[in-house]
Amino acid sequence: MSNLADGSNPTHEHISQVLRENRVVLFMKGNRHFPQCGFSAQVVNILDEFLPTYKTVNVLSDPALRDGIKAYSNWPTIPQLYVDGKFVGGCDIVRDMHGSGELAALLSEGASSGGSPVTPEAPKVHLSPAAVGAFKQALGEGASEHPRLHIPANFEHELFIDEKQPDDLEVQADGLVLLLDPASARRANGVRIDYVTGTGQGGFKIDNPNSPPRVQPLSVKGLKGMLDRGDTFELVDVRTPEERATARIAAARHLDDEGFEYLQGLPKDTPIVFHCHHGMRSRAAAERFLSTGFTRVFNLEGGIDAWSNEIDPTVPRY
Amino acid sequence: MSHHDTDFQGDIVAAIVSAIRSKIANSQAEVSGGGGHYTIAVTSPAFAGLGRVDAQRLVYSAIAHLMAGDAPPVHAVDSLRTIVP
């Protein structure tokens, strides 16, 4: 690839290093769990069928990289897949190679680092007796269809009744067949499906140990408890300076440029609680921090308004 | 797919076809799409002996000026096929 790498360019050097250190690398928009473009999502979905792990690089996090990778490969679009340091193609080519079986062959060749491809096999999924009963009741006698568990890259689980497809994997449970497509099966090992009945209607409950961290809702009472106990965490106010002048929670740090820099320097497992006026803006901020790798991210439900209302009436409402 | 705005004035499909035909020898191009997203199929003897990546690079370089900038007329090529006659 002598035509590609220009040793004097730091972005090219960075790309070369990533390619040397990882057998399979996908330059994409977003990451494996939060693809931010349909083409990137398609390639992730294909790779997830074959590989337990692979390296992804989010080009949206660095404008120099976004342009640099296009120059590096002389290829004008994102995503870009590399295997063993060689450019394989974009979404279109990866899709073709998947269909023809070339991709499976390429990924299993000399697999060493970066995760070895595995022929998909049925994952271990546990269905509770209540879940099996609820499925059987929904299907009725002698049904030709089966429940399907679909797990997309963002782990928004879906359960529905469907026909069997040729490449489906099957999980057997007490006479019931659960269908999973190969990419979903890759993400399903250790899943537990239960059926819970509360007030009124019942519903399926899916617990997946492979799910990425999510923004966790936190009540104002929960926050009060954390402050009273002296827990170690960061409380972050995402509102405008004008709103902060009107009302503020004393312990909260403002998410201005300085606050942002400070948070980015913290260990990724630092608990961070975000708050705003009612809990919407802070949820968006919390999602962004989660996507940059923080794992313990909380959103204060109801925001400072709930705090004034339920915890500290001396904080003005507005 | 989402719609992408552009400042480009004129028929984008015609501009893609004409760019390909002028830059790839003896080529024929079929182009469809809109809103920044296009599907392109190009037939040319110039692709003979080229791998898929190099053949597609030839097409991308022919339309590079239509994909450059912040609001380019061609935002994404949904599907690109290169065919040797």
Side-chain angles (χ1 to χ4, degrees):
Chain A
M1 303 199 99
S2 54
N3 60 323
L4 301 179
D6 172 0
S8 62
N9 178 324
T11 303
H12 283 204
E13 270 181 30
H14 171 65
I15 293 168
S16 298
Q17 189 186 347
V18 170
L19 296 180
R20 271 196 308 276
E21 289 171 357
N22 301 277
R23 180 167 187 257
V24 178
V25 184
L26 180 64
F27 290 84
M28 63 179 288
K29 296 182 181 176
N31 64 38
R32 193 171 171 180
H33 298 307
F34 298 96
Q36 289 178 33
C37 130
F39 299 106
S40 291
Q42 283 184 43
V43 176
V44 162
N45 215 39
I46 289 171
L47 292 179
D48 279 2
E49 268 185 47
F50 297 102
L51 299 173
T53 62
Y54 50 91
K55 172 79 176 169
T56 63
V57 179
N58 182 2
V59 301
L60 298 180
S61 67
D62 180 356
L65 189 64
R66 186 173 178 174
D67 292 330
I69 192 64
K70 294 178 183 177
Y72 186 92
S73 56
N74 184 23
W75 192 261
T77 57
I78 310 288
Q80 298 188 6
L81 177 65
Y82 292 76
V83 177
D84 292 322
K86 289 198 203 70
F87 175 60
V88 174
C91 177
D92 212 30
I93 288 178
V94 170
R95 224 165 29 198
D96 277 3
M97 292 177 70
H98 179 231
S100 68
E102 285 167 89
L103 188 68
L106 174 67
L107 293 175
S108 56
E109 252 171 40
S112 49
S113 59
S116 37
V118 184
T119 313
E121 56 183 61
K124 288 190 171 56
V125 176
H126 179 263
L127 289 100
S128 73
V132 172
F135 278 130
K136 284 184 173 169
Q137 199 176 354
L139 286 165
E141 283 295 313
S144 63
E145 296 186 318
H146 307 282
R148 174 183 296 283
L149 176 60
H150 177 60
I151 311 176
N154 61 7
F155 285 81
E156 302 277 349
H157 296 79
E158 291 178 292
L159 265 177
F160 51 96
I161 306 293
D162 197 15
E163 286 174 9
K164 181 172 160 46
Q165 302 297 324
D167 57 354
D168 276 339
L169 296 155
E170 297 183 8
V171 172
Q172 309 277 347
D174 195 19
L176 188 81
V177 174
L178 178 72
L179 303 175
L180 299 101
D181 62 82
S184 294
R186 264 250 163 262
R187 303 172 181 129
N189 219 11
V191 163
R192 303 181 76 84
I193 303 177
D194 196 3
Y195 188 82
V196 288
T197 44
T199 46
Q201 231 173 328
F204 289 98
K205 181 175 176 295
I206 302 168
D207 182 25
N208 190 341
N210 311 301
S211 291
R214 290 187 185 285
V215 173
Q216 301 171 56
L218 181 68
S219 68
V220 288
K221 289 192 180 65
L223 174 61
K224 179 77 164 60
M226 289 165 75
L227 288 168
D228 289 349
R229 282 194 304 274
D231 289 359
T232 304
F233 69 102
E234 296 291 333
L235 178 60
V236 178
D237 183 353
V238 310
R239 296 172 306 147
T240 62
E242 293 74 26
E243 289 176 277
R244 279 174 64 76
T246 307
R248 64 165 78 184
I249 302 174
R253 173 189 298 277
H254 190 210
L255 189 62
D256 51 13
D257 289 349
E258 195 186 323
F260 184 81
E261 287 290 318
Y262 169 78
L263 292 172
Q264 288 301 324
L266 293 174
K268 296 291 190 192
D269 61 353
T270 309
I272 309 179
V273 178
F274 290 89
H275 92 79
C276 61
H277 190 200
H278 289 118
M280 299 302 288
R281 279 173 288 168
S282 55
R283 168 158 289 277
E287 295 286 357
R288 275 204 301 281
F289 269 76
L290 197 68
S291 71
T292 65
F294 283 91
T295 54
R296 297 164 73 192
V297 179
F298 299 83
N299 183 43
L300 187 66
E301 301 296 315
I304 196 171
D305 199 49
W307 181 263
S308 316
N309 206 17
E310 297 175 39
I311 305 294
D312 184 357
T314 68
V315 174
R317 297 183 70 186
Y318 63 97
Chain B
M1 287 290 172
S2 51
H3 182 93
H4 292 269
D5 290 327
T6 177
D7 303 333
F8 187 83
Q9 300 292 317
D11 184 338
I12 298 172
V13 168
I16 297 171
V17 171
S18 121
I20 291 170
R21 293 194 57 176
S22 68
K23 291 176 190 159
I24 302 176
N26 299 313
S27 63
Q28 292 188 320
E30 282 178 42
V31 179
S32 62
H37 288 260
Y38 295 89
T39 293
I40 302 176
V42 185
T43 307
S44 167
F47 300 134
L50 295 184
R52 200 158 21 195
V53 167
D54 285 331
Q56 293 201 10
R57 272 194 188 119
L58 209 55
V59 180
Y60 278 128
S61 71
I63 61 169
H65 60 293
L66 299 170
M67 299 184 77
D70 286 336
V74 178
H75 170 81
V77 177
D78 288 352
S79 163
L80 172 56
R81 310 217 71 82
T82 56
I83 302 144
V84 180

